[in-house]
Amino acid sequence: MPTPPCPTPMDLTMHTMAQAQPELSLTIGAFLHLEGPVPPLVDLRAHISAHLARLPRLTHYLKGPGLRARWARDPNPDLQLRVRERQIEPGEASLDLARQDLLTHPLPTDGPPWDLWLLHGHAPGRFTLCYRAHHTAQDGSGFLHTLYELFGAAPADTPARATSAAPAPRARIGDYARTLKGMVASAASNNLWNDPARPLTGARLSSWAHAPSDVMRTAAAARGGSTNDAVLAALAAALGTWSIEHWPRGAGRPMPAVMMVNLRQPEETYLPGNLFTFAPVLLPCHEATAAARLDSVVAATRESKNPARRAAMRTITDHTPAWAFHTLATQLTAPARAIIDTSYVPLGPLQYQDTPVSNVDLFTWLPRNHPVSILTYSYNGTTSAYVVTDQALPGIDRLPELWAQAATQLATPE
């Protein structure tokens, strides 16, 4: 495959942040749970080795200082270091402990920053594969493409595995103006999370929550929306309930958030790095009913689904200097401008060899000074949310539970 182009402004910004704040984890990943005989580690390494030539994300990494970094290539990364196993004690509690440890366990620092762990011993005839990567080398759609290439039930480049944005029409002046207005609005001060009595500490708290996919999809479709709209409406309900109980600054008002928008074209599916941007969305936490929240979210996300708007987003992203993008990103991590991060991905069938993946636990990171990051995904009839929060927020440990309740109740008349 051809050499990747120069790093994007997003790549360089994340790389700079990682160098300046090494304590901040930018690890994203997936736990794949399977039922079947535990594969030998040597077979797993051979499986990965056979895919290296098709996956530049596993052989490329950013090298150099800050915004001047460039892609480096290691065609044969050390699989003894990157493909490892843990035999854990029997019981689901042991698996939970191993998962929590791998959320923050350091990635390899020499060469491409990724690894794969084989976890077994927690239950007879079951094992878990944990694939992890640094966000500087893989964004959400790139991470999914890697999963499909390694563990997809069909080839990663088939339509069933498509994660790329469709070719977009030409953007007009109005599309550029609205896109720039949204970027400026995202960086505006909201003074929602910079309570001097309870400053955010950076200590992370995370958990998964689950809801039936058909309930969310049906409720959203009835009001002209998508599953992602249902996810955001449920998040608005959860934050509204939580803020009334624990965070007076947020009670009775909408909360600013951003959702991640994939900007890749089909020919860019294989590229390492980050080809996405963020679109602003106000979470209607103040609305009293599920229907009102869904209507508000559907209206707020409509423009970001417009192909012309996506074309404008891509053009602006391609022509923004790295220093300017880094400046904007730095503003978004200031306490007075802190926002909520959201993303949603649908997942196709996954397997290792002939063993299907029964369920999946994805996870993501939380930017500095941000209160909440939620990654949601649908797999095998269930829509799940990985919620990572700043531990300093009172009662925030209930947010995943509140989200699941609100998601399940979307179809309930109020």
Side-chain angles (χ1 to χ4, degrees), residues 111-147:
W114 64 268
D115 60 17
L116 178 69
W117 291 84
L118 169 63
L119 308 176
H120 59 93
H122 52 284
R126 294 173 59 189
F127 64 97
T128 294
L129 298 174
C130 176
Y131 172 65
R132 308 186 308 153
H134 201 278
H135 212 317
T136 54
Q138 302 188 31
D139 60 10
S141 65
F143 183 88
L144 289 182
H145 179 263
T146 304
L147 276 187

PDB file of all heavy atoms in Angstrom, residues 111-147:
ATOM      1  N   GLY A 111       7.725   1.848  18.663  1.00  0.00           N
ATOM      2  CA  GLY A 111       7.081   1.463  17.420  1.00  0.00           C
ATOM      3  C   GLY A 111       5.582   1.693  17.462  1.00  0.00           C
ATOM      4  O   GLY A 111       5.078   2.490  18.253  1.00  0.00           O
ATOM      5  N   PRO A 112       4.836   0.994  16.607  1.00  0.00           N
ATOM      6  CA  PRO A 112       3.384   1.214  16.530  1.00  0.00           C
ATOM      7  C   PRO A 112       2.694   0.961  17.866  1.00  0.00           C
ATOM      8  O   PRO A 112       2.899  -0.086  18.494  1.00  0.00           O
ATOM      9  CB  PRO A 112       2.938   0.196  15.473  1.00  0.00           C
ATOM     10  CG  PRO A 112       4.155  -0.059  14.639  1.00  0.00           C
ATOM     11  CD  PRO A 112       5.311   0.037  15.584  1.00  0.00           C
ATOM     12  N   PRO A 113       1.849   1.906  18.324  1.00  0.00           N
ATOM     13  CA  PRO A 113       1.243   1.808  19.660  1.00  0.00           C
ATOM     14  C   PRO A 113      -0.086   1.044  19.659  1.00  0.00           C
ATOM     15  O   PRO A 113      -1.168   1.629  19.672  1.00  0.00           O
ATOM     16  CB  PRO A 113       1.046   3.271  20.053  1.00  0.00           C
ATOM     17  CG  PRO A 113       0.795   3.959  18.748  1.00  0.00           C
ATOM     18  CD  PRO A 113       1.593   3.221  17.704  1.00  0.00           C
ATOM     19  N   TRP A 114      -0.007  -0.279  19.646  1.00  0.00           N
ATOM     20  CA  TRP A 114      -1.196  -1.125  19.725  1.00  0.00           C
ATOM     21  C   TRP A 114      -0.804  -2.455  20.350  1.00  0.00           C
ATOM     22  O   TRP A 114       0.371  -2.823  20.395  1.00  0.00           O
ATOM     23  CB  TRP A 114      -1.820  -1.341  18.337  1.00  0.00           C
ATOM     24  CG  TRP A 114      -0.928  -2.093  17.376  1.00  0.00           C
ATOM     25  CD1 TRP A 114      -0.045  -1.555  16.502  1.00  0.00           C
ATOM     26  CD2 TRP A 114      -0.819  -3.520  17.228  1.00  0.00           C
ATOM     27  NE1 TRP A 114       0.620  -2.547  15.811  1.00  0.00           N
ATOM     28  CE2 TRP A 114       0.156  -3.766  16.230  1.00  0.00           C
ATOM     29  CE3 TRP A 114      -1.455  -4.612  17.818  1.00  0.00           C
ATOM     30  CZ2 TRP A 114       0.511  -5.054  15.829  1.00  0.00           C
ATOM     31  CZ3 TRP A 114      -1.107  -5.907  17.419  1.00  0.00           C
ATOM     32  CH2 TRP A 114      -0.139  -6.112  16.426  1.00  0.00           C
ATOM     33  N   ASP A 115      -1.793  -3.179  20.832  1.00  0.00           N
ATOM     34  CA  ASP A 115      -1.543  -4.541  21.301  1.00  0.00           C
ATOM     35  C   ASP A 115      -2.835  -5.345  21.305  1.00  0.00           C
ATOM     36  O   ASP A 115      -3.931  -4.803  21.104  1.00  0.00           O
ATOM     37  CB  ASP A 115      -0.845  -4.580  22.671  1.00  0.00           C
ATOM     38  CG  ASP A 115      -1.632  -3.914  23.781  1.00  0.00           C
ATOM     39  OD1 ASP A 115      -2.849  -3.687  23.608  1.00  0.00           O
ATOM     40  OD2 ASP A 115      -1.044  -3.600  24.827  1.00  0.00           O
ATOM     41  N   LEU A 116      -2.689  -6.656  21.504  1.00  0.00           N
ATOM     42  CA  LEU A 116      -3.816  -7.579  21.549  1.00  0.00           C
ATOM     43  C   LEU A 116      -3.588  -8.552  22.700  1.00  0.00           C
ATOM     44  O   LEU A 116      -2.519  -9.164  22.799  1.00  0.00           O
ATOM     45  CB  LEU A 116      -3.936  -8.342  20.224  1.00  0.00           C
ATOM     46  CG  LEU A 116      -5.046  -9.391  20.139  1.00  0.00           C
ATOM     47  CD1 LEU A 116      -6.414  -8.722  20.139  1.00  0.00           C
ATOM     48  CD2 LEU A 116      -4.878 -10.267  18.896  1.00  0.00           C
ATOM     49  N   TRP A 117      -4.596  -8.675  23.562  1.00  0.00           N
ATOM     50  CA  TRP A 117      -4.498  -9.536  24.742  1.00  0.00           C
ATOM     51  C   TRP A 117      -5.519 -10.664  24.642  1.00  0.00           C
ATOM     52  O   TRP A 117      -6.684 -10.450  24.286  1.00  0.00           O
ATOM     53  CB  TRP A 117      -4.752  -8.737  26.017  1.00  0.00           C
ATOM     54  CG  TRP A 117      -3.659  -7.762  26.337  1.00  0.00           C
ATOM     55  CD1 TRP A 117      -3.512  -6.496  25.847  1.00  0.00           C
ATOM     56  CD2 TRP A 117      -2.550  -7.987  27.212  1.00  0.00           C
ATOM     57  NE1 TRP A 117      -2.382  -5.910  26.365  1.00  0.00           N
ATOM     58  CE2 TRP A 117      -1.778  -6.800  27.209  1.00  0.00           C
ATOM     59  CE3 TRP A 117      -2.144  -9.055  28.017  1.00  0.00           C
ATOM     60  CZ2 TRP A 117      -0.619  -6.658  27.963  1.00  0.00           C
ATOM     61  CZ3 TRP A 117      -0.990  -8.925  28.769  1.00  0.00           C
ATOM     62  CH2 TRP A 117      -0.238  -7.746  28.737  1.00  0.00           C
ATOM     63  N   LEU A 118      -5.062 -11.858  24.993  1.00  0.00           N
ATOM     64  CA  LEU A 118      -5.925 -13.030  25.101  1.00  0.00           C
ATOM     65  C   LEU A 118      -6.180 -13.282  26.582  1.00  0.00           C
ATOM     66  O   LEU A 118      -5.252 -13.576  27.341  1.00  0.00           O
ATOM     67  CB  LEU A 118      -5.248 -14.239  24.453  1.00  0.00           C
ATOM     68  CG  LEU A 118      -5.885 -15.613  24.697  1.00  0.00           C
ATOM     69  CD1 LEU A 118      -7.298 -15.672  24.114  1.00  0.00           C
ATOM     70  CD2 LEU A 118      -5.004 -16.722  24.116  1.00  0.00           C
ATOM     71  N   LEU A 119      -7.429 -13.145  26.995  1.00  0.00           N
ATOM     72  CA  LEU A 119      -7.821 -13.352  28.386  1.00  0.00           C
ATOM     73  C   LEU A 119      -8.603 -14.660  28.477  1.00  0.00           C
ATOM     74  O   LEU A 119      -9.567 -14.869  27.726  1.00  0.00           O
ATOM     75  CB  LEU A 119      -8.682 -12.196  28.885  1.00  0.00           C
ATOM     76  CG  LEU A 119      -8.134 -10.779  28.685  1.00  0.00           C
ATOM     77  CD1 LEU A 119      -9.164  -9.748  29.154  1.00  0.00           C
ATOM     78  CD2 LEU A 119      -6.818 -10.599  29.423  1.00  0.00           C
ATOM     79  N   HIS A 120      -8.222 -15.521  29.407  1.00  0.00           N
ATOM     80  CA  HIS A 120      -8.941 -16.785  29.553  1.00  0.00           C
ATOM     81  C   HIS A 120      -8.760 -17.303  30.978  1.00  0.00           C
ATOM     82  O   HIS A 120      -7.906 -16.824  31.727  1.00  0.00           O
ATOM     83  CB  HIS A 120      -8.434 -17.819  28.536  1.00  0.00           C
ATOM     84  CG  HIS A 120      -6.971 -18.135  28.650  1.00  0.00           C
ATOM     85  ND1 HIS A 120      -6.483 -19.184  29.395  1.00  0.00           N
ATOM     86  CD2 HIS A 120      -5.881 -17.525  28.116  1.00  0.00           C
ATOM     87  CE1 HIS A 120      -5.168 -19.218  29.296  1.00  0.00           C
ATOM     88  NE2 HIS A 120      -4.776 -18.210  28.533  1.00  0.00           N
ATOM     89  N   GLY A 121      -9.601 -18.272  31.324  1.00  0.00           N
ATOM     90  CA  GLY A 121      -9.575 -18.839  32.671  1.00  0.00           C
ATOM     91  C   GLY A 121     -10.769 -18.433  33.506  1.00  0.00           C
ATOM     92  O   GLY A 121     -11.062 -19.051  34.525  1.00  0.00           O
ATOM     93  N   HIS A 122     -11.487 -17.379  33.087  1.00  0.00           N
ATOM     94  CA  HIS A 122     -12.607 -16.901  33.895  1.00  0.00           C
ATOM     95  C   HIS A 122     -13.823 -17.814  33.809  1.00  0.00           C
ATOM     96  O   HIS A 122     -14.661 -17.819  34.711  1.00  0.00           O
ATOM     97  CB  HIS A 122     -12.997 -15.481  33.469  1.00  0.00           C
ATOM     98  CG  HIS A 122     -13.240 -15.324  32.008  1.00  0.00           C
ATOM     99  ND1 HIS A 122     -12.212 -15.267  31.080  1.00  0.00           N
ATOM    100  CD2 HIS A 122     -14.384 -15.200  31.282  1.00  0.00           C
ATOM    101  CE1 HIS A 122     -12.711 -15.116  29.868  1.00  0.00           C
ATOM    102  NE2 HIS A 122     -14.030 -15.088  29.966  1.00  0.00           N
ATOM    103  N   ALA A 123     -13.955 -18.574  32.708  1.00  0.00           N
ATOM    104  CA  ALA A 123     -15.079 -19.504  32.568  1.00  0.00           C
ATOM    105  C   ALA A 123     -14.689 -20.586  31.573  1.00  0.00           C
ATOM    106  O   ALA A 123     -13.986 -20.312  30.588  1.00  0.00           O
ATOM    107  CB  ALA A 123     -16.332 -18.768  32.097  1.00  0.00           C
ATOM    108  N   PRO A 124     -15.129 -21.836  31.808  1.00  0.00           N
ATOM    109  CA  PRO A 124     -14.806 -22.919  30.861  1.00  0.00           C
ATOM    110  C   PRO A 124     -15.396 -22.646  29.481  1.00  0.00           C
ATOM    111  O   PRO A 124     -16.536 -22.191  29.352  1.00  0.00           O
ATOM    112  CB  PRO A 124     -15.472 -24.150  31.510  1.00  0.00           C
ATOM    113  CG  PRO A 124     -15.679 -23.792  32.941  1.00  0.00           C
ATOM    114  CD  PRO A 124     -15.900 -22.317  32.971  1.00  0.00           C
ATOM    115  N   GLY A 125     -14.586 -22.898  28.456  1.00  0.00           N
ATOM    116  CA  GLY A 125     -15.065 -22.751  27.085  1.00  0.00           C
ATOM    117  C   GLY A 125     -15.331 -21.327  26.664  1.00  0.00           C
ATOM    118  O   GLY A 125     -16.093 -21.098  25.715  1.00  0.00           O
ATOM    119  N   ARG A 126     -14.717 -20.369  27.339  1.00  0.00           N
ATOM    120  CA  ARG A 126     -14.897 -18.969  26.973  1.00  0.00           C
ATOM    121  C   ARG A 126     -13.547 -18.262  27.000  1.00  0.00           C
ATOM    122  O   ARG A 126     -12.672 -18.599  27.809  1.00  0.00           O
ATOM    123  CB  ARG A 126     -15.879 -18.276  27.910  1.00  0.00           C
ATOM    124  CG  ARG A 126     -17.305 -18.798  27.817  1.00  0.00           C
ATOM    125  CD  ARG A 126     -18.185 -18.199  28.888  1.00  0.00           C
ATOM    126  NE  ARG A 126     -18.235 -16.736  28.801  1.00  0.00           N
ATOM    127  CZ  ARG A 126     -18.801 -15.965  29.731  1.00  0.00           C
ATOM    128  NH1 ARG A 126     -19.346 -16.498  30.810  1.00  0.00           N
ATOM    129  NH2 ARG A 126     -18.812 -14.652  29.575  1.00  0.00           N
ATOM    130  N   PHE A 127     -13.400 -17.268  26.148  1.00  0.00           N
ATOM    131  CA  PHE A 127     -12.199 -16.433  26.177  1.00  0.00           C
ATOM    132  C   PHE A 127     -12.549 -15.056  25.637  1.00  0.00           C
ATOM    133  O   PHE A 127     -13.598 -14.855  25.002  1.00  0.00           O
ATOM    134  CB  PHE A 127     -11.042 -17.066  25.387  1.00  0.00           C
ATOM    135  CG  PHE A 127     -11.288 -17.220  23.908  1.00  0.00           C
ATOM    136  CD1 PHE A 127     -10.812 -16.287  22.997  1.00  0.00           C
ATOM    137  CD2 PHE A 127     -11.976 -18.331  23.419  1.00  0.00           C
ATOM    138  CE1 PHE A 127     -11.025 -16.433  21.634  1.00  0.00           C
ATOM    139  CE2 PHE A 127     -12.191 -18.491  22.058  1.00  0.00           C
ATOM    140  CZ  PHE A 127     -11.717 -17.547  21.165  1.00  0.00           C
ATOM    141  N   THR A 128     -11.682 -14.096  25.906  1.00  0.00           N
ATOM    142  CA  THR A 128     -11.884 -12.705  25.492  1.00  0.00           C
ATOM    143  C   THR A 128     -10.637 -12.199  24.796  1.00  0.00           C
ATOM    144  O   THR A 128      -9.508 -12.444  25.266  1.00  0.00           O
ATOM    145  CB  THR A 128     -12.208 -11.816  26.710  1.00  0.00           C
ATOM    146  OG1 THR A 128     -13.470 -12.204  27.254  1.00  0.00           O
ATOM    147  CG2 THR A 128     -12.269 -10.352  26.321  1.00  0.00           C
ATOM    148  N   LEU A 129     -10.817 -11.524  23.687  1.00  0.00           N
ATOM    149  CA  LEU A 129      -9.725 -10.849  22.989  1.00  0.00           C
ATOM    150  C   LEU A 129      -9.872  -9.352  23.213  1.00  0.00           C
ATOM    151  O   LEU A 129     -10.953  -8.792  22.991  1.00  0.00           O
ATOM    152  CB  LEU A 129      -9.762 -11.160  21.492  1.00  0.00           C
ATOM    153  CG  LEU A 129      -9.578 -12.623  21.095  1.00  0.00           C
ATOM    154  CD1 LEU A 129      -9.776 -12.789  19.584  1.00  0.00           C
ATOM    155  CD2 LEU A 129      -8.206 -13.131  21.501  1.00  0.00           C
ATOM    156  N   CYS A 130      -8.807  -8.708  23.639  1.00  0.00           N
ATOM    157  CA  CYS A 130      -8.819  -7.266  23.862  1.00  0.00           C
ATOM    158  C   CYS A 130      -7.828  -6.608  22.904  1.00  0.00           C
ATOM    159  O   CYS A 130      -6.612  -6.788  23.037  1.00  0.00           O
ATOM    160  CB  CYS A 130      -8.453  -6.927  25.306  1.00  0.00           C
ATOM    161  SG  CYS A 130      -8.327  -5.135  25.611  1.00  0.00           S
ATOM    162  N   TYR A 131      -8.363  -5.876  21.933  1.00  0.00           N
ATOM    163  CA  TYR A 131      -7.527  -5.134  20.997  1.00  0.00           C
ATOM    164  C   TYR A 131      -7.516  -3.671  21.409  1.00  0.00           C
ATOM    165  O   TYR A 131      -8.581  -3.068  21.615  1.00  0.00           O
ATOM    166  CB  TYR A 131      -8.050  -5.275  19.574  1.00  0.00           C
ATOM    167  CG  TYR A 131      -7.337  -4.381  18.586  1.00  0.00           C
ATOM    168  CD1 TYR A 131      -5.983  -4.574  18.314  1.00  0.00           C
ATOM    169  CD2 TYR A 131      -7.989  -3.330  17.957  1.00  0.00           C
ATOM    170  CE1 TYR A 131      -5.316  -3.746  17.440  1.00  0.00           C
ATOM    171  CE2 TYR A 131      -7.337  -2.500  17.076  1.00  0.00           C
ATOM    172  CZ  TYR A 131      -6.000  -2.715  16.822  1.00  0.00           C
ATOM    173  OH  TYR A 131      -5.329  -1.881  15.965  1.00  0.00           O
ATOM    174  N   ARG A 132      -6.325  -3.084  21.545  1.00  0.00           N
ATOM    175  CA  ARG A 132      -6.188  -1.694  22.000  1.00  0.00           C
ATOM    176  C   ARG A 132      -5.267  -0.937  21.048  1.00  0.00           C
ATOM    177  O   ARG A 132      -4.349  -1.511  20.453  1.00  0.00           O
ATOM    178  CB  ARG A 132      -5.599  -1.644  23.413  1.00  0.00           C
ATOM    179  CG  ARG A 132      -6.312  -2.514  24.435  1.00  0.00           C
ATOM    180  CD  ARG A 132      -5.750  -2.298  25.835  1.00  0.00           C
ATOM    181  NE  ARG A 132      -4.298  -2.430  25.864  1.00  0.00           N
ATOM    182  CZ  ARG A 132      -3.502  -1.830  26.745  1.00  0.00           C
ATOM    183  NH1 ARG A 132      -4.013  -1.030  27.669  1.00  0.00           N
ATOM    184  NH2 ARG A 132      -2.189  -2.007  26.700  1.00  0.00           N
ATOM    185  N   ALA A 133      -5.496   0.370  20.940  1.00  0.00           N
ATOM    186  CA  ALA A 133      -4.653   1.199  20.072  1.00  0.00           C
ATOM    187  C   ALA A 133      -4.651   2.629  20.584  1.00  0.00           C
ATOM    188  O   ALA A 133      -5.559   3.061  21.293  1.00  0.00           O
ATOM    189  CB  ALA A 133      -5.165   1.161  18.631  1.00  0.00           C
ATOM    190  N   HIS A 134      -3.612   3.359  20.210  1.00  0.00           N
ATOM    191  CA  HIS A 134      -3.507   4.775  20.562  1.00  0.00           C
ATOM    192  C   HIS A 134      -4.282   5.596  19.535  1.00  0.00           C
ATOM    193  O   HIS A 134      -4.205   5.350  18.329  1.00  0.00           O
ATOM    194  CB  HIS A 134      -2.042   5.206  20.581  1.00  0.00           C
ATOM    195  CG  HIS A 134      -1.787   6.444  21.380  1.00  0.00           C
ATOM    196  ND1 HIS A 134      -1.990   7.708  20.862  1.00  0.00           N
ATOM    197  CD2 HIS A 134      -1.365   6.622  22.655  1.00  0.00           C
ATOM    198  CE1 HIS A 134      -1.687   8.605  21.791  1.00  0.00           C
ATOM    199  NE2 HIS A 134      -1.308   7.977  22.890  1.00  0.00           N
ATOM    200  N   HIS A 135      -5.011   6.593  20.028  1.00  0.00           N
ATOM    201  CA  HIS A 135      -5.887   7.370  19.150  1.00  0.00           C
ATOM    202  C   HIS A 135      -5.115   8.181  18.112  1.00  0.00           C
ATOM    203  O   HIS A 135      -5.690   8.594  17.093  1.00  0.00           O
ATOM    204  CB  HIS A 135      -6.768   8.307  19.995  1.00  0.00           C
ATOM    205  CG  HIS A 135      -8.118   8.558  19.405  1.00  0.00           C
ATOM    206  ND1 HIS A 135      -8.325   8.815  18.062  1.00  0.00           N
ATOM    207  CD2 HIS A 135      -9.348   8.596  19.969  1.00  0.00           C
ATOM    208  CE1 HIS A 135      -9.617   9.004  17.835  1.00  0.00           C
ATOM    209  NE2 HIS A 135     -10.262   8.875  18.970  1.00  0.00           N
ATOM    210  N   THR A 136      -3.839   8.444  18.314  1.00  0.00           N
ATOM    211  CA  THR A 136      -3.078   9.185  17.306  1.00  0.00           C
ATOM    212  C   THR A 136      -2.945   8.391  16.013  1.00  0.00           C
ATOM    213  O   THR A 136      -2.805   8.982  14.939  1.00  0.00           O
ATOM    214  CB  THR A 136      -1.672   9.530  17.823  1.00  0.00           C
ATOM    215  OG1 THR A 136      -1.033   8.326  18.262  1.00  0.00           O
ATOM    216  CG2 THR A 136      -1.735  10.530  18.958  1.00  0.00           C
ATOM    217  N   ALA A 137      -2.976   7.062  16.094  1.00  0.00           N
ATOM    218  CA  ALA A 137      -2.782   6.233  14.910  1.00  0.00           C
ATOM    219  C   ALA A 137      -4.092   5.670  14.365  1.00  0.00           C
ATOM    220  O   ALA A 137      -4.123   5.197  13.226  1.00  0.00           O
ATOM    221  CB  ALA A 137      -1.827   5.075  15.221  1.00  0.00           C
ATOM    222  N   GLN A 138      -5.160   5.688  15.164  1.00  0.00           N
ATOM    223  CA  GLN A 138      -6.427   5.105  14.718  1.00  0.00           C
ATOM    224  C   GLN A 138      -7.590   5.911  15.282  1.00  0.00           C
ATOM    225  O   GLN A 138      -7.710   6.043  16.498  1.00  0.00           O
ATOM    226  CB  GLN A 138      -6.550   3.653  15.186  1.00  0.00           C
ATOM    227  CG  GLN A 138      -5.432   2.753  14.699  1.00  0.00           C
ATOM    228  CD  GLN A 138      -5.673   1.288  15.021  1.00  0.00           C
ATOM    229  OE1 GLN A 138      -6.816   0.844  15.082  1.00  0.00           O
ATOM    230  NE2 GLN A 138      -4.611   0.547  15.218  1.00  0.00           N
ATOM    231  N   ASP A 139      -8.428   6.445  14.389  1.00  0.00           N
ATOM    232  CA  ASP A 139      -9.664   7.055  14.858  1.00  0.00           C
ATOM    233  C   ASP A 139     -10.759   5.992  14.913  1.00  0.00           C
ATOM    234  O   ASP A 139     -10.497   4.796  14.708  1.00  0.00           O
ATOM    235  CB  ASP A 139     -10.060   8.235  13.971  1.00  0.00           C
ATOM    236  CG  ASP A 139     -10.295   7.838  12.516  1.00  0.00           C
ATOM    237  OD1 ASP A 139     -10.349   6.622  12.216  1.00  0.00           O
ATOM    238  OD2 ASP A 139     -10.417   8.738  11.664  1.00  0.00           O
ATOM    239  N   GLY A 140     -11.994   6.407  15.191  1.00  0.00           N
ATOM    240  CA  GLY A 140     -13.056   5.430  15.372  1.00  0.00           C
ATOM    241  C   GLY A 140     -13.306   4.569  14.149  1.00  0.00           C
ATOM    242  O   GLY A 140     -13.376   3.338  14.245  1.00  0.00           O
ATOM    243  N   SER A 141     -13.446   5.190  12.963  1.00  0.00           N
ATOM    244  CA  SER A 141     -13.714   4.402  11.765  1.00  0.00           C
ATOM    245  C   SER A 141     -12.500   3.553  11.388  1.00  0.00           C
ATOM    246  O   SER A 141     -12.646   2.418  10.918  1.00  0.00           O
ATOM    247  CB  SER A 141     -14.103   5.317  10.604  1.00  0.00           C
ATOM    248  OG  SER A 141     -13.025   6.155  10.232  1.00  0.00           O
ATOM    249  N   GLY A 142     -11.292   4.085  11.600  1.00  0.00           N
ATOM    250  CA  GLY A 142     -10.097   3.295  11.337  1.00  0.00           C
ATOM    251  C   GLY A 142      -9.983   2.110  12.269  1.00  0.00           C
ATOM    252  O   GLY A 142      -9.592   1.003  11.874  1.00  0.00           O
ATOM    253  N   PHE A 143     -10.332   2.323  13.534  1.00  0.00           N
ATOM    254  CA  PHE A 143     -10.313   1.239  14.505  1.00  0.00           C
ATOM    255  C   PHE A 143     -11.289   0.137  14.095  1.00  0.00           C
ATOM    256  O   PHE A 143     -10.968  -1.055  14.157  1.00  0.00           O
ATOM    257  CB  PHE A 143     -10.660   1.780  15.888  1.00  0.00           C
ATOM    258  CG  PHE A 143     -10.603   0.760  16.983  1.00  0.00           C
ATOM    259  CD1 PHE A 143      -9.420   0.521  17.659  1.00  0.00           C
ATOM    260  CD2 PHE A 143     -11.725   0.031  17.347  1.00  0.00           C
ATOM    261  CE1 PHE A 143      -9.355  -0.431  18.669  1.00  0.00           C
ATOM    262  CE2 PHE A 143     -11.672  -0.917  18.349  1.00  0.00           C
ATOM    263  CZ  PHE A 143     -10.483  -1.147  19.025  1.00  0.00           C
ATOM    264  N   LEU A 144     -12.494   0.536  13.653  1.00  0.00           N
ATOM    265  CA  LEU A 144     -13.472  -0.458  13.227  1.00  0.00           C
ATOM    266  C   LEU A 144     -12.984  -1.219  12.000  1.00  0.00           C
ATOM    267  O   LEU A 144     -13.168  -2.446  11.903  1.00  0.00           O
ATOM    268  CB  LEU A 144     -14.803   0.224  12.919  1.00  0.00           C
ATOM    269  CG  LEU A 144     -15.593   0.772  14.102  1.00  0.00           C
ATOM    270  CD1 LEU A 144     -16.907   1.359  13.621  1.00  0.00           C
ATOM    271  CD2 LEU A 144     -15.844  -0.306  15.142  1.00  0.00           C
ATOM    272  N   HIS A 145     -12.369  -0.518  11.052  1.00  0.00           N
ATOM    273  CA  HIS A 145     -11.838  -1.206   9.877  1.00  0.00           C
ATOM    274  C   HIS A 145     -10.793  -2.242  10.281  1.00  0.00           C
ATOM    275  O   HIS A 145     -10.739  -3.346   9.721  1.00  0.00           O
ATOM    276  CB  HIS A 145     -11.236  -0.200   8.903  1.00  0.00           C
ATOM    277  CG  HIS A 145     -10.657  -0.839   7.675  1.00  0.00           C
ATOM    278  ND1 HIS A 145      -9.316  -1.125   7.559  1.00  0.00           N
ATOM    279  CD2 HIS A 145     -11.238  -1.262   6.521  1.00  0.00           C
ATOM    280  CE1 HIS A 145      -9.074  -1.693   6.394  1.00  0.00           C
ATOM    281  NE2 HIS A 145     -10.224  -1.783   5.747  1.00  0.00           N
ATOM    282  N   THR A 146      -9.957  -1.902  11.266  1.00  0.00           N
ATOM    283  CA  THR A 146      -8.966  -2.866  11.750  1.00  0.00           C
ATOM    284  C   THR A 146      -9.654  -4.077  12.367  1.00  0.00           C
ATOM    285  O   THR A 146      -9.259  -5.228  12.122  1.00  0.00           O
ATOM    286  CB  THR A 146      -8.037  -2.202  12.788  1.00  0.00           C
ATOM    287  OG1 THR A 146      -7.443  -1.045  12.206  1.00  0.00           O
ATOM    288  CG2 THR A 146      -6.941  -3.154  13.226  1.00  0.00           C
ATOM    289  N   LEU A 147     -10.690  -3.837  13.178  1.00  0.00           N
ATOM    290  CA  LEU A 147     -11.436  -4.948  13.771  1.00  0.00           C
ATOM    291  C   LEU A 147     -12.014  -5.856  12.685  1.00  0.00           C
ATOM    292  O   LEU A 147     -11.938  -7.088  12.773  1.00  0.00           O
ATOM    293  CB  LEU A 147     -12.569  -4.422  14.642  1.00  0.00           C
ATOM    294  CG  LEU A 147     -12.269  -4.028  16.084  1.00  0.00           C
ATOM    295  CD1 LEU A 147     -13.572  -3.698  16.797  1.00  0.00           C
ATOM    296  CD2 LEU A 147     -11.526  -5.116  16.841  1.00  0.00           C
TER     297      LEU A 147
END
